Amino acid sequence: MTEKINKKEFKKEKIPRMAMPEQDPEKRIRNFNEVTLGYTEEDALREAFRCIQCRNPKCIKGCPVEIDIKSFIKLIKEKKFDEALEKIREKNGLPAMCGRVCPQEDQCEKECILSIKDEPVAIGRLERYVADREMKQVAEGIKECAWSEVTKKCTRGKVAVIGSGPAGLTCGAELARMGYRVTIFEALHKPGGVLVYGIPEFRLPKEVVQKEIDYIKSLGVKIEVNMVIGKILTIDDLFKNGFKAVFISTGAGLPYFMGIPGENLNGVYSANEYLTRSNLMKAYRFPECDTPIVKGLRVAVVGGGNVALDSARTAKRLGAEKVYLIYRRSEKEMPARDEEVEHTREEGIEFKLLASPVEIIGKNGWVDKIRCIKMKLGEPDDSGRRRPLPVEGSEFDIGVDVVIMAIGQGPNPLLTSSVPHLELTKWGNIKADPVNGKTNIEGVFAGGDIVTGAATVILAMGAGKNAAKAMDEYIRTGIWQ
Amino acid sequence: MYRIIKKEKLVENIDRFYLKAPLIAKKSKAGQFVVIRINEEGERIPLTIVDYDRKKGILSIVSMRVGKTTALLSSLNQGDTILDVVGPLGNASEIRNFGRVICVGGGVGVAPILPTARELKKAGNYVISIIGARSKDLLILKEEMGNTSDELYICSDDGSIGYHGFVSGFLKDYLEKNLAGKTDRKTNIARVIAIGPALMMNAVSEVTRPFSIKTIVSLNSIMVDATGMCGACRVEVGGKTKFVCVDGPEFDAHLVNFDLLLSRQKIYCDHEGVCMDLYQHKCKLPE
């Protein structure tokens, strides 16, 4: 009987998914401001009313940290925005960020029942709305920052987290909530990891990142920057200093190069370097900020993931007249988010699909051309995607002055090489239990990209949460096993 | 925030800073470096660690005024603070009793070679040091180098002190004299370590090559994070790409592609000019 009623309601409420207001492409390629502008209250309410409050919501299972989506959307419908945010924060300490960068289309929204015949509820946009709303109200003085003081008493032992990216921040937050004294050690001069150095301002404003990090600090987490564990202190030192357990979340901070001739010419960047200069060091504001970046007029970006798109869109904003995205497979196989592929196309970046570089040709030590070969798709490889194969004799040149290699990032060996007995995979990732993050060394846990390879913010967060639970159990019981 | 405990003007354009940095001072080893960022708009630059007082927690660095950041650093005084200092980075110098070693320092490079010379002496080596500068009043750390070396030779480009010429020129003469009378055509020098401008290290490398003496240089590439994460500092050593920040900073000189190093050091020449112009315009630095 109830099933019939649900179907009827479903047929009635076919409101189209609320569009996300965006900056016009022509305008936004000249600035680094956020592309997506966020819902208004009206947008958010209308979108929240699309949710049919399923009896057995599938969306929650699609979320790597199991946010109670059904409840928070219900609270939005009731205009209880603060409570909606608290509901999200029960499971996710970084809602303003996740609402922006999570691939919801592969996670919660993919499971949404409306996606069968219609478009799913814009869960991510609603999450972002409530998080941004609080930030705005605090900024305008309408609301007191309820969490600006550290009220939690840290009565349990000391725990160390290495790396202040999403995995480390989340693990630290969870442990602090449980009453541990957490110190997160960060190698760079600003916390956030990829959130500050990797994802550009126009996709994730650093002010938003800072506020989310402030929230985590308000839970009692201490973040020490300029601390390269493995150099200034070893993991042994940490245990000697009284830390009861350590979580390694150093990320995927090793740039991959193709190994083709000409890769060391002036004007060839790894995406890590290009984005770090622009995002972390604010080279897009040069000379107001001192760190320079080569602003090519004709830029080639090699790769097809979100990092490649971020690099291409940054190059456009830095004044490039022509930006080429060179990817060896077809658009269907691109790992980047559909939404970002669309934004990239709108911004006038030219896609050179089914092509791969074979050589970078220089002139006077600088990049002059990139030589590519056309590719065709063969049988699927290990990743399930069709293997690209070069087409004999199909080489072609593109005149460029900057090349950005965005073909992936691997595990940075700086920390791992300082822990001699730590078990690693053949690619240098840390071998850790996928559920509880345990490594082969007692008291040492690991999670995030350093374990899985480059993945998403939310998966790293999930790993951080799970490890926190396991670390708590280990510290309380003393059982390692 | 890292406080400048003391500042010494070594010569007109080179300063020595003593910073309160207990954890870094505790772990530092000769050959390693730190990266500093003076303020919020600042860039990150590497500077070799010159000395460390582990008990007092004080770190010593030397900087030559070449561009905006080093000029800004030069304008700081005792009591001022540097926003970010991270280290110790890079691999430490290889220190063993090699036998007879020659330490060659050119210009501001004398500062980073001092800790290595000290450690080599402590390890039982017979240390011959050759230091040089453009002129007498630009020569730094003569006394300290003299105290730690068994033999000290001084060179100046303009002949105002010591040997008239480059350190590489003096080295060549020294090695040839060392060979004189030896039938096996082998010097008794086990190793040469050279630090200074890239052109100088290249010249030293070419001097020692025909003598087949193992030569170590400390490369001064442009860096950003200096933890192996970006590749800005990449060089070619023995035909393979290496990152100076994590694979170095010291490498076998005879395998280093100095042409590439020199070329990559020029990437931001235009930008550096823009920054310096703006800075001088604002501060009206005396020339």
Side-chain angles (χ1 to χ4, degrees), chain A residues 187-190 197 224-228 231-234 237 253-255 257 263-270 272-273 276-277 280-281 285-295 364-366 412-414, chain B residues 2 23-24 27 32 37 39-44 68-69 83-91 222-232 234-236 241 243 246 260 263-264 266-268 271 274-275 278:
Chain A
L188 292 173
H189 57 268
K190 279 212 161 26
Y197 78 73
E224 286 194 26
V225 294
N226 297 320
M227 295 292 282
V228 182
K231 289 288 185 193
I232 195 168
L233 289 172
T234 58
D237 288 333
L254 180 74
F257 286 97
E263 238 169 355
N264 293 334
L265 285 164
N266 293 359
V268 182
Y269 282 107
S270 70
N272 267 5
E273 184 186 351
T276 298
R277 281 180 182 272
L280 176 69
M281 307 306 297
R285 280 164 50 193
F286 180 88
E288 193 193 319
C289 294
D290 295 339
T291 301
I293 194 168
V294 178
K295 294 180 181 174
N364 300 324
W366 283 84
N412 188 310
L414 196 144
Chain B
Y2 299 77
L23 288 177
I24 305 177
K27 281 287 169 122
Q32 291 186 302
R37 188 177 81 123
N39 58 31
E40 197 57 53
E41 295 79 35
E43 56 166 346
R44 291 167 61 103
K68 190 252 170 99
T69 304
L83 185 57
D84 298 297
V85 178
V86 57
L89 299 172
N91 297 308
I222 292 172
M223 293 183 186
V224 184
D225 65 291
T227 57
M229 177 267 235
C230 80
R234 59 195 191 279
V235 289
E236 256 161 43
T241 297
F243 290 3
V246 291
L260 183 66
S263 174
R264 288 183 63 80
K266 297 198 182 91
I267 296 176
Y268 302 102
H271 298 82
V274 167
C275 262
L278 275 172

Side-chain angles (χ1 to χ4, degrees), chain A residues 279-392:
Chain A
N279 304 329
L280 176 69
M281 307 306 297
K282 308 260 178 284
Y284 70 87
R285 280 164 50 193
F286 180 88
E288 193 193 319
C289 294
D290 295 339
T291 301
I293 194 168
V294 178
K295 294 180 181 174
L297 285 175
R298 299 173 63 88
V299 179
V301 178
V302 182
N306 292 314
V307 174
L309 299 189
D310 285 342
S311 303
R313 296 166 72 191
T314 297
K316 191 78 188 175
R317 283 160 173 76
L318 289 176
E321 284 165 6
K322 262 245 157 295
V323 181
Y324 302 96
L325 190 83
I326 303 172
Y327 180 57
R328 60 191 180 143
R329 292 184 166 99
S330 73
E331 190 168 328
K332 219 172 56 171
E333 284 88 19
M334 278 177 80
R337 293 189 66 192
D338 286 344
E339 184 180 308
E340 301 309 340
V341 173
E342 200 184 308
H343 285 150
T344 304
R345 270 231 159 80
E346 286 168 356
E347 289 167 14
I349 280 105
E350 194 175 320
F351 284 50
K352 291 263 187 230
L353 299 166
L354 291 165
S356 190
V358 291
E359 189 182 346
I360 303 170
I361 297 153
K363 200 157 134 191
N364 300 324
W366 283 84
V367 175
D368 188 50
K369 300 196 257 255
I370 186 165
R371 179 159 293 163
C372 302
I373 194 166
K374 294 209 170 100
M375 308 294 270
K376 61 175 183 250
L377 294 178
E379 289 305 305
D381 66 13
D382 293 336
S383 71
R385 290 177 294 167
R386 292 176 68 192
R387 189 195 303 270
L389 300 161
V391 174
E392 297 287 313

Side-chain angles (χ1 to χ4, degrees), chain B residues 175-182 185:
Chain B
L175 291 175
E176 267 161 13
K177 276 195 204 117
N178 193 287
L179 265 190
K182 295 208 172 98
R185 300 292 299 163

